[in-house]
Amino acid sequence: MQIASLIVTFGAVALAVAVGIWAYRITSGARMAQAVWRRRMGDFEDRIARSDSVFGAYPGLVLVWDQPPLDETATDWGQPRIFGSSVALASLLRFADASDGPDPAGILMEGLADYEARSAGGEDTTLRRRFTDLMQQGRPFSLTILGPSGRFLEVDGRAAGTQLVVWLSDSTIRGLEESGARGRIEEARRLVSQDPLAFLDMLGKAPFPAWRMNGSGRLEWVNLAYVTAVEAEGPEQVLQDQVMLDAGLTEQAEKVMRDGHPDSDTRAVVSRGQRCAMRFEVFPVSGAAAGFAIDVTEAEEARNNLQRFRQAHDETLNHMAEAVIVFDRSKALSFYNTAFSHLFGLDEAWLNERPGHAGLLDRMREKRLLPEQANFDQWKADELARYNAAPNEEMPDELWPLPDGRTLRVAVQRHPLGGLMLIFEDKTDELALRARYNTLINVQRATLDKLHEAVAVFSSNGRLQLHNNAFETLWSFDAEDLAGQPDFDSVAETCAGLFADDRVWTDVKARVTDPSPQARKQVTGEMRRTDGRVLTYLTRPLPDGATLICWDDVTDSRRIEEALRERAEALETSERIKTEFVEHVSYQLRTPLTTINGYSDMLAQGFAGPLTDRQMEPMNAIQTAADHLAKLIDDILDVAAIDAGQLELDLGDVDVADVARETMEFAQARAEHHSIKLDTDFKGHSTLIRADKNRVKQVSMNLVSNALRHVAAGGQITIGTQQEGDMLTLWVADNGEGIAPEQQVKVFDRFARGERGGAGLGLALVKDIVQLHGGWVELESEPGKGTRVSCHLPLEARSDTIPELSLT
């Protein structure tokens, strides 16, 4: 056990000695290395001290970035190292209107980033943009930044390997003269610098709100209009409380300072208790922002009203039947209505792409929707030249005859908002109707000129629209007197020289110009002019509101009427005298004729002794002549009674066949004496009619007697009847000498003597008696072949219907 303990103790001592030796060697090397590093640290500290002394003597700052900021937009400036004097840092922070903080480098760079600056080449720029170029592209820069109170800052940026270095120096601290950049900036502000107090006074009294903000977005200055707009007590209260005219004002200022470009925006605000629209104009100024606000409420209302008006205008145009298309100032299509697309059949999708005027004309030419032009390019150039025409230059309407047969009226006018507006109206039907109307008018004029009546047409406003040549001739007008549609008064004044009755002209004028239904009636009248002419006139209202007046010269008619009236009176007197004469003569003749008949009968019967055969022949002649004379007197009396309307029919049932047989029996002896054959022809029908039997017998006797006188010995006479409907015909035919055609129209005239001889009352009386019964007489005759006289009698006698005599 002891041996083991000794061995262990010995081993431990040996190990301790070895460890001590090894530790000594190690600590000796460390002390030597430490001494070396201590010397080097001392050198470094001397060098740093000397560098700090150098940087401390530099009248500015040096910012060094080991790594570029991660934010490429340079809104996060990273953690650069700062070298330079603390005095320069404090001065530059005041220059940038920034306060000290945990990141003075970032605060300083953000405060200087958007100040107005000039590059060495005289270009307007900002530190933010130049630092971004340095960070992204390694592009060095040298800037002069103009700060407040006339201070200038020189800034230089360079890339040093992987590091970025920015030198900042305050020219005022360095005691340098104004740089060229300040001179250029001051030159731009020369007008303001000549009288800055007046400029500030003017801006302070401006009627619109104006303000200035620093780089941190705080208000630095406001004018009185701004104070009034926010209803503050004064500028001090506005600056102290930072009262913003609008909630978006700070954001807009930050955008302007960040981008370095002016910004304009219109927003609705509440100013002095009223809601209004204001346009905010904000622009960058020396690392800060300034702006002013203009009340555009009326302008916005006007713009909205204009927009609504344009919408209403477009809707109105869209409901028009005419096609409408509008081009703006740039000659681009800005509007077309539905009628336009329908009229030309163009693709609406293509029209919605707003083609130009020239392109539209080319497309329409391709589709043959334009008039054919010999030089289309020149015609298109003339159409497009309307945009450059003088404002007061007239643009007459045009007619476009299209290849498809349509004719369009094209009206071009300037659009109130600029550009041109074209209106297309399809005049095809109208032109066709107008041509037809003109043709109709010409036909009417030609027709009126052919009339002998004078015709004039006056419109509802009293203007002469139409007249014929007879009107000019009747009223002694010259053609130029009626040119230009003279009014009614002018026409009436000329006519008054021949007819001066003002009452008539006033009444005619009322028919022309008065639209009332009482006046719009047809009126006739008569005018007796001073030259002796007699005119009848007629006024007739026409459907279109016009009035037609027609004059007819009836002077000759009046003269003829007067002559006829005198003649009628004379004839009436003559007829009365004749009737009286006939009645008187007939009465005076009947008395001696009765005596002659009485004594002749007595002598023939042997009252004075028997007569020899030689004496009987004259006695028979006397009796025959006396009978004929008695019959003639009866006929004359009957004719006179008929003319006087005093012959009345004694109607009853008459068998016409029996009457005809009696007549044949009465004429049988005379017919045998002359060797004439008598015959009857009664069809198998009823011959019973309602008539005056004595008058029917008189008709039958007259017809047979007339035939006996004109039939030669050996001839034949036939009497018969025939029924057709409600008429019964009694006819007598012979095969005698017949009647010449020129004599046939006279055989029924009274007292007419023709080739056949006779007193001319037999057939005339037949016609009168048949007409009294309501029938008529028909004659058929041919020379050498005989004559047939037919009396058509109604089954019921009626005297109210008397047809004309029919001759065949």
Side-chain angles (χ1 to χ4, degrees):
M1 292 295 294
Q2 293 178 353
I3 294 174
S5 301
L6 288 176
I7 292 173
V8 171
T9 303
F10 179 77
V13 172
L15 179 61
V17 172
V19 171
I21 294 172
W22 178 79
Y24 175 78
R25 294 184 65 184
I26 291 300
T27 57
S28 176
R31 284 193 298 271
M32 291 178 62
Q34 185 176 9
V36 173
W37 281 108
R38 188 178 294 113
R39 267 193 321 273
R40 288 185 179 182
M41 287 295 292
D43 293 339
F44 286 145
E45 287 177 357
D46 289 342
R47 293 176 64 183
I48 290 174
R50 288 193 297 271
S51 297
D52 288 342
S53 298
V54 173
F55 281 120
Y58 179 67
L61 293 180
V62 180
L63 305 181
V64 180
W65 284 266
D66 294 332
Q67 295 292 334
L70 297 178
D71 190 354
E72 295 183 355
T73 61
T75 58
D76 183 3
W77 298 95
Q79 298 292 329
R81 288 178 291 159
I82 302 176
F83 299 95
S85 66
S86 58
V87 176
L89 177 59
S91 175
L92 291 176
L93 287 174
R94 287 194 301 271
F95 183 95
D97 196 13
S99 60
D100 196 1
D103 183 17
I107 295 174
L108 177 60
M109 291 297 288
E110 182 65 27
L112 298 176
D114 297 311
Y115 271 102
E116 183 180 355
R118 285 260 182 176
S119 66
E123 179 184 358
D124 291 331
T125 184
T126 62
L127 176 59
R128 189 187 303 275
R129 290 203 294 267
R130 290 301 188 182
F131 185 81
T132 301
D133 293 341
L134 173 64
M135 180 176 59
Q136 295 177 350
Q137 303 174 14
R139 183 183 301 171
F141 63 86
S142 294
L143 301 177
T144 300
I145 299 177
L146 176 62
S149 304
R151 297 173 61 184
F152 294 89
L153 182 66
E154 300 294 337
V155 184
D156 295 277
R158 298 289 185 275
T162 60
Q163 296 178 323
L164 299 179
V165 183
V166 174
W167 284 268
L168 302 169
S169 61
D170 191 342
S171 301
T172 305
I173 297 176
R174 292 166 53 190
L176 299 177
E177 296 294 334
E178 292 182 353
S179 64
R182 178 180 179 182
R184 288 189 294 273
I185 295 175
E186 286 298 319
E187 179 64 22
R189 302 174 181 270
R190 180 175 57 83
L191 295 177
V192 176
S193 63
Q194 290 178 352
D195 194 358
L197 294 178
F199 176 77
L200 291 176
D201 183 61
M202 176 187 67
L203 191 60
K205 296 179 180 180
F208 50 84
W211 65 91
R212 175 185 172 90
M213 288 182 172
N214 60 20
S216 61
R218 291 180 60 83
L219 291 172
E220 289 185 331
W221 174 86
V222 295
N223 66 353
L224 295 178
Y226 188 102
V227 176
T228 303
V230 298
E231 299 181 357
E233 296 180 357
E236 297 78 7
Q237 181 185 358
V238 175
L239 298 178
Q240 180 180 353
D241 298 339
Q242 291 294 304
V243 181
M244 295 296 174
L245 183 61
D246 175 66
L249 190 59
T250 302
E251 182 180 353
Q252 187 179 7
E254 292 176 354
K255 176 183 177 183
V256 167
M257 289 186 287
R258 181 174 63 253
D259 298 339
H261 299 291
D263 183 69
S264 178
D265 188 22
T266 301
R267 297 188 293 271
V269 300
V270 177
S271 176
R272 289 174 289 184
Q274 294 182 352
R275 186 177 180 85
C276 58
M278 283 191 172
R279 186 174 73 248
F280 291 86
E281 300 285 350
V282 182
F283 43 89
V285 287
S286 302
F292 55 87
I294 301 176
D295 189 348
V296 293
T297 304
E298 294 183 358
E300 287 297 313
E301 291 179 354
R303 183 180 294 107
N304 294 334
N305 291 336
L306 178 60
Q307 183 66 25
R308 289 192 293 270
F309 172 77
R310 293 189 62 177
Q311 292 177 354
H313 182 260
D314 292 347
E315 291 179 1
T316 301
L317 293 180
N318 206 38
H319 285 84
M320 289 179 59
E322 294 80 7
V324 180
I325 187 171
V326 180
F327 296 94
D328 58 19
R329 298 177 186 272
S330 62
K331 302 179 184 179
L333 176 64
S334 62
F335 172 80
Y336 69 92
N337 64 353
T338 305
F340 178 81
S341 60
H342 290 170
L343 180 63
F344 292 103
L346 295 175
D347 184 11
E348 294 190 8
W350 180 76
L351 292 175
N352 293 333
E353 296 177 359
R354 300 187 61 191
H357 197 163
L360 178 65
L361 292 178
D362 292 337
R363 177 65 65 90
M364 294 176 68
R365 184 193 184 195
E366 293 175 1
K367 294 184 175 294
R368 295 179 58 81
L369 298 175
L370 293 178
E372 298 291 346
Q373 302 293 334
N375 189 345
F376 176 76
D377 293 336
Q378 182 61 41
W379 180 82
K380 182 173 73 172
D382 294 339
E383 290 293 313
L384 298 178
R386 298 178 186 270
Y387 290 90
N388 302 323
N392 57 351
E393 182 177 346
E394 294 185 1
M395 298 182 183
D397 295 351
E398 298 179 353
L399 286 180
W400 284 10
L402 301 186
D404 59 4
R406 293 181 297 173
T407 301
L408 306 181
R409 181 183 70 87
V410 183
V412 183
Q413 65 183 36
R414 297 187 181 278
H415 197 269
L417 300 180
L420 296 177
M421 180 169 69
L422 283 71
I423 303 174
F424 302 86
E425 183 180 1
D426 192 345
K427 308 289 286 186
T428 307
D429 295 339
E430 180 180 343
L431 293 177
L433 290 175
R434 183 177 299 175
R436 293 173 57 187
Y437 174 77
N438 292 334
T439 302
L440 179 61
I441 290 298
N442 293 332
V443 172
Q444 288 179 345
R445 290 182 183 276
T447 303
L448 292 178
D449 287 338
K450 297 298 182 181
L451 298 177
H452 72 277
E453 293 88 353
V455 177
V457 178
F458 291 88
S459 61
S460 57
N461 60 1
R463 292 283 180 178
L464 179 64
Q465 286 186 324
L466 194 64
H467 67 281
N468 62 354
N469 294 332
F471 176 74
E472 297 180 7
T473 303
L474 183 64
W475 292 103
S476 303
F477 281 103
D478 294 330
E480 55 272 13
D481 295 338
L482 301 178
Q485 295 186 346
D487 57 17
F488 182 86
D489 292 336
S490 299
V491 176
E493 182 178 357
T494 303
C495 296
L498 294 173
F499 182 74
D501 192 341
D502 293 338
R503 294 175 301 174
V504 175
W505 293 117
T506 301
D507 181 70
V508 174
K509 180 180 180 180
R511 307 295 173 185
V512 172
T513 59
D514 190 350
S516 63
Q518 293 77 13
R520 300 288 293 170
K521 294 181 179 179
Q522 177 176 319
V523 176
T524 59
E526 185 174 290
M527 297 179 177
R528 292 186 176 272
R529 302 195 316 190
T530 56
D531 59 356
R533 309 296 294 178
V534 180
L535 309 179
T536 58
Y537 68 90
L538 175 145
T539 65
R540 181 186 294 275
L542 300 180
D544 61 351
T547 302
L548 178 143
I549 305 177
C550 177
W551 288 270
D552 187 15
D553 188 350
V554 295
T555 305
D556 295 338
S557 299
R558 288 289 185 269
R559 292 174 180 172
I560 294 174
E561 288 177 3
E562 187 175 351
L564 291 176
R565 187 180 302 107
E566 293 176 354
R567 180 181 179 184
E569 293 176 354
L571 289 176
E572 184 179 354
T573 303
S574 174
E575 188 69 20
R576 186 178 65 255
I577 294 174
K578 182 189 71 172
T579 303
E580 293 176 354
F581 172 77
V582 169
E583 292 178 352
H584 179 72
V585 170
S586 298
Y587 176 76
Q588 295 297 329
L589 287 176
R590 188 177 294 277
T591 300
L593 182 59
T594 303
T595 302
I596 292 173
N597 282 331
Y599 282 108
S600 62
D601 290 339
M602 290 175 63
L603 292 174
Q605 294 176 4
F607 180 77
L611 298 178
T612 62
D613 294 337
R614 187 175 181 180
Q615 292 174 335
M616 283 297 298
E617 185 175 354
M619 183 60 63
N620 291 333
I622 292 172
Q623 288 180 333
T624 302
D627 292 338
H628 180 71
L629 183 58
K631 185 178 181 305
L632 180 60
I633 292 174
D634 292 338
D635 289 345
I636 292 174
L637 292 177
D638 289 339
V639 169
I642 292 173
D643 290 340
Q646 297 176 355
L647 183 63
E648 296 181 359
L649 299 178
D650 184 11
L651 299 179
D653 294 336
V654 179
D655 190 337
V656 179
D658 292 343
V659 172
R661 292 187 187 94
E662 292 179 5
T663 302
M664 298 300 283
E665 292 175 358
F666 177 80
Q668 184 66 38
R670 183 179 175 185
E672 292 177 355
H673 180 73
H674 293 89
S675 301
I676 297 174
K677 181 180 179 182
L678 299 179
D679 195 6
T680 59
D681 184 7
F682 304 125
K683 302 295 183 181
H685 57 263
S686 173
T687 58
L688 187 65
I689 64 174
R690 186 166 182 80
D692 188 332
K693 183 177 180 179
N694 292 330
R695 297 303 176 183
V696 173
K697 186 176 181 180
Q698 186 178 3
V699 168
S700 177
M701 289 292 295
N702 284 352
L703 292 177
V704 173
S705 298
N706 183 71
L708 287 172
R709 288 197 299 271
H710 300 94
V711 175
Q716 180 178 352
I717 299 174
T718 304
I719 186 170
T721 60
Q722 181 178 356
Q723 183 176 356
E724 295 180 359
D726 58 349
M727 301 296 291
L728 181 69
T729 301
L730 173 65
W731 53 269
V732 174
D734 64 63
N735 58 357
E737 60 188 14
I739 306 173
E742 63 273 11
Q743 296 295 328
Q744 292 181 15
V745 297
K746 301 179 181 179
V747 295
F748 291 97
D749 293 343
R750 299 172 182 177
F751 304 103
R753 290 184 60 86
E755 295 178 357
R756 297 166 64 102
L761 281 180
L763 292 180
L765 190 58
V766 168
K767 184 186 72 171
D768 291 340
I769 292 174
V770 171
Q771 289 179 347
L772 282 176
H773 281 80
W776 73 93
V777 179
E778 183 179 5
L779 174 67
E780 301 176 50
S781 182
E782 185 176 349
K785 294 184 178 181
T787 302
R788 177 186 174 113
V789 180
S790 301
C791 298
H792 303 279
L793 297 170
L795 299 181
E796 292 286 341
R798 57 186 187 277
S799 59
D800 55 339
T801 302
I802 305 177
E804 294 293 334
L805 177 66
S806 175
L807 299 177
T808 301

